[in-house]
């Protein structure tokens, strides 16, 4: 378990700066990178926005597998525990995500039961949650994590966010809130989507209420600026990838297409990502599902296996460089490669290839549709991997989070 500095901002976070900064500070691109870095230095994702059910389909997890994954909001690594793998190493460059991942693990292990866990991690406006933290969790946390959640922000202890609604916080939560406000200023209440009861009703609401918003001058002006999408956790490099998909290099039609998938391709009662986007909460019983890791049928096995997880304040490459050859089976890169230079891509894949056992798999997502590594990895590395193109295309269509252009699976050749 790697230590972390709970209140280190972007200026002191060398790991994040090394991953993000490519241009001189006083250039246009350099300013954009540093602005994103400042925003990304706080809590970004209270909920991870990659579909873990697809991850587990793609990885075909087995009990002997040893996993390395990026943490983000921590939901997916807990979902993977439902398959009882041998170990999971979680890495993240953001200390706020480290603290959240460790708190979620402690909640599984030390809260009295499943109902207490759901109340703490999923239910808004539960004033007893900070008391549950004090009673069951605080003394069980490592010193840095306890210091983080006991620390104060705007005069209140950070942990009191669970008394309100943690999913309305963080960079992503505030971005979604701003989108709701912008829609209301144009006469649209996005929460009304949660009242729909069929794909037909969802489609009607999207076509009549949401789609026209993308033609509004203020929306096109906002989406035409890289900084406007920093709230989605989209760095400048990813913005350029998304803009390249449109003929006029405007990101508005790309966002409209992705939101259309989220709103219209899956029933609301089956999609907790849509509930967070439109309802700003999870559906109650009968309305919509909880995330995979919070479902009652997975509770006991996840709780029994939380000690198989180690959380590290480190990069993927940094962690793997310390590990022996042929020691890992599954690697989850989320969309981190969209940030990377060719050198960084080759560095991480060199370590993945060295530490991968025969039959290992790597999965990742991309803002654009095509795999980010093709034509960029050295042939000595790329030739050791097989691309499961058809399966990747199939699972991309099934991704309930709907915000990515591509889901990609690679397997280590024997």
């Amino acid at each position: 378990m790697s230590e972390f500095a709970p209140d280190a901002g972007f200026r002191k976070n060398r790991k994040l700066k090394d991953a993000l900064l490519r241009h001189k500070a006083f250039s246009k691109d350099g300013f954009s990178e540093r602005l994103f870095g400042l925003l990304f230095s706080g809590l970004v994702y209270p909920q991870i926005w990659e579909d873990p059910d697809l991850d587990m389909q793609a990885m075909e997890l087995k009990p002997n597998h040893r996993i390395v994954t990026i943490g983000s909001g921590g939901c997916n690594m807990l979902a993977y525990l439902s398959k009882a793998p041998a170990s999971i190493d979680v890495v993240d460059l953001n200390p706020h995500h480290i603290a959240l991942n460790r708190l979620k693990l402690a909640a599984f292990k030390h809260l009295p039961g499943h109902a207490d866990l759901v109340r703490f991690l999923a239910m808004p406006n539960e004033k007893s949650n900070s008391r549950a933290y004090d009673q069951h969790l605080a003394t069980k946390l490592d010193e840095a994590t306890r210091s983080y959640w006991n620390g104060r922000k705007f005069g209140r202890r950070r942990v009191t966010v669970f008394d309100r609604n943690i999913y309305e916080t963080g960079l992503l939560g505030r971005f979604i809130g701003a989108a709701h406000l912008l829609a209301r200023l144009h006469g649209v209440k996005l929460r009304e989507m949660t009242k729909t009861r069929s794909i037909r009703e969802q489609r009607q609401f999207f076509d009549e209420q949401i789609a026209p918003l993308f033609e509004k001058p203020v929306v096109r002006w906002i989406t035409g600026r890289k900084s406007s999408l920093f709230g989605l956790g989209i760095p400048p490099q990813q913005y350029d990838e998304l803009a390249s998909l449109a003929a006029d290099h405007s990101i508005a039609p790309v966002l409209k297409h992705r939101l259309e998938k989220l709103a219209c391709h899956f029933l609301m009662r089956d999609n907790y990502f849509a509930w967070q986007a439109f309802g700003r909460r999870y559906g109650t019983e009968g309305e919509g599902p909880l995330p995979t890791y919070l479902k009652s049928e997975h509770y006991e096995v996840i709780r029994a296996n939380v000690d198989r997880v180690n959380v590290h304040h480190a990069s993927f490459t940094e962690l793997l460089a310390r590990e022996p050859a042929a020691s890992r089976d599954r690697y989850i890169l989320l969309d981190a490669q969209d940030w990377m230079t060719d050198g960084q891509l080759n560095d991480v894949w060199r370590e993945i290839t060295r530490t991968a056992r025969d039959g290992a798999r790597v999965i990742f997502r991309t803002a654009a549709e095509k795999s980010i590594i093709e034509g960029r990895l050295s042939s000595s590395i790329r030739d050791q991997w097989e691309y499961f193109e058809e399966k990747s295309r199939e699972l991309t269509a099934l991704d309930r989070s709907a915000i990515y252009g591509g889901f990609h699976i690679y397997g280590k050749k024997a």
Side-chain angles (χ1 to χ4, degrees):
M1 184 181 286
S2 306
E3 196 52 88
F4 70 102
D7 290 307
F10 179 61
R11 186 174 61 84
K12 295 181 180 179
N13 192 338
R14 172 54 58 184
K15 298 175 190 293
L16 181 57
K17 290 171 75 174
D18 288 345
L20 181 63
L21 300 185
R22 301 184 185 182
H23 300 89
K24 293 181 179 179
F26 295 105
S27 67
K28 181 179 179 182
D29 289 334
F31 175 79
S32 187
E33 289 168 351
R34 284 158 179 81
L35 176 59
F36 176 78
L38 287 171
L39 294 171
F40 202 81
S41 294
L43 177 66
V44 181
Y45 301 115
Q47 171 193 285
I48 188 171
W49 275 72
E50 282 86 2
D51 192 334
D53 293 351
L54 295 192
D55 290 1
M56 292 187 285
Q57 282 187 54
M59 290 190 288
E60 299 179 357
L61 289 179
K62 294 181 172 56
N64 65 308
H65 284 162
R66 302 187 69 192
I67 300 168
V68 183
T69 183
I70 296 173
S72 187
C75 316
N76 287 18
M77 64 92 175
L78 286 162
Y80 308 153
L81 277 184
S82 69
K83 302 297 184 182
S87 69
I88 302 178
D89 284 293
V90 177
V91 299
D92 208 290
L93 300 178
N94 187 320
H96 302 264
H97 292 161
I98 297 293
L100 182 58
N101 275 248
R102 292 181 181 175
L103 181 64
K104 286 185 174 182
L105 286 164
F108 261 94
K109 188 172 183 178
H110 299 296
L111 288 177
H114 179 253
D116 305 282
L117 181 78
V118 171
R119 186 181 307 112
F120 189 80
L121 293 177
M123 305 304 292
N125 303 315
E126 289 287 346
K127 302 302 182 183
S128 64
N129 280 338
S130 59
R131 293 196 298 273
Y133 166 86
D134 290 331
Q135 182 177 355
H136 300 289
L137 303 180
T139 61
K140 305 297 195 301
L141 297 170
D142 62 275
E143 184 177 350
T145 305
R146 183 169 58 252
S147 175
Y148 175 88
W149 290 109
N150 283 336
R152 292 188 176 273
K153 186 174 183 181
F154 305 122
R156 296 184 289 196
R157 285 195 304 161
R158 277 199 179 97
V159 73
T160 61
V161 72
F162 291 95
D163 293 342
R164 303 185 298 277
N165 185 349
I166 189 173
Y167 302 105
E168 291 185 349
T169 68
L171 193 59
L172 178 62
R174 291 193 294 273
F175 178 91
I176 294 173
H180 276 249
L181 175 60
L182 184 61
R184 284 201 304 274
L185 292 174
H186 288 88
V188 178
K189 296 180 180 179
L190 295 179
R191 291 181 189 269
E192 295 295 308
M193 177 65 85
T194 65
K195 298 178 181 179
T196 59
R197 294 294 177 265
S198 66
I199 291 290
R200 184 187 64 79
E201 290 182 10
Q202 291 168 214
R203 166 64 66 183
Q204 182 178 2
F205 185 84
F206 178 83
D207 288 344
E208 295 179 0
Q209 301 291 322
I210 299 176
L213 292 174
F214 288 92
E215 304 306 319
K216 303 296 183 182
V218 66
V219 174
R220 296 190 69 84
W221 183 87
I222 290 172
T223 56
R225 279 144 185 81
K226 292 182 182 181
S227 59
S228 67
L229 297 189
F230 288 173
L232 279 173
I234 293 177
Q237 300 93 322
Q238 266 190 324
Y239 183 97
D240 293 337
E241 287 287 333
L242 287 169
S244 70
L245 299 175
D248 60 354
H249 294 282
S250 168
I251 204 170
V254 180
L255 293 178
K256 178 182 175 182
H257 174 73
R258 302 282 168 89
L259 190 58
E260 184 266 344
K261 181 180 179 182
L262 179 68
C264 305
H265 289 208
F266 311 94
L267 284 166
M268 284 294 298
R269 65 172 177 265
D270 296 331
N271 192 358
Y272 65 86
F273 296 100
W275 268 94
Q276 282 295 349
F278 297 112
R280 311 210 67 200
R281 61 180 177 87
Y282 297 127
T284 58
E285 187 174 355
E287 287 184 323
L290 288 171
T292 300
Y293 79 102
L294 288 175
K295 291 182 177 179
S296 59
E297 61 263 34
H298 302 311
Y299 172 68
E300 292 296 342
V301 66
I302 294 175
R303 185 175 191 174
N305 288 290
V306 292
D307 289 335
R308 299 185 184 189
V309 179
N310 284 297
V311 182
H312 311 267
H313 187 210
S315 71
F316 225 91
T317 307
E318 184 182 3
L319 174 75
L320 292 180
R322 303 194 296 256
E323 300 302 315
S327 60
R328 297 296 189 275
D329 302 280
R330 298 293 185 266
Y331 304 81
I332 302 96
L333 286 160
L334 305 186
D335 62 340
Q337 293 174 115
D338 281 3
W339 301 30
M340 295 182 185
T341 64
D342 287 359
Q344 290 167 334
L345 270 178
N346 278 274
D347 286 345
V348 70
W349 275 88
R350 188 175 297 110
E351 291 300 333
I352 288 173
T353 303
R354 183 184 66 82
T355 57
R357 295 171 176 163
D358 288 345
R361 288 192 181 181
V362 180
I363 64 172
F364 59 88
R365 288 166 172 82
T366 50
E369 296 175 4
K370 294 181 180 179
S371 169
I372 197 77
I373 70 170
E374 298 300 338
R376 297 180 64 187
L377 288 186
S378 70
S379 58
S380 62
I381 297 173
R382 176 65 184 86
D383 290 347
Q384 297 184 58
W385 294 88
E386 175 186 4
Y387 181 35
F388 301 139
E389 187 171 4
E390 184 175 347
K391 187 67 172 178
S392 297
R393 194 162 45 243
E394 172 191 334
L395 292 184
T396 296
L398 298 176
D399 194 336
R400 292 172 297 173
S401 76
I403 65 173
Y404 295 102
F407 178 88
H408 306 282
I409 312 164
Y410 285 79
K412 182 75 156 39
K413 296 177 181 178

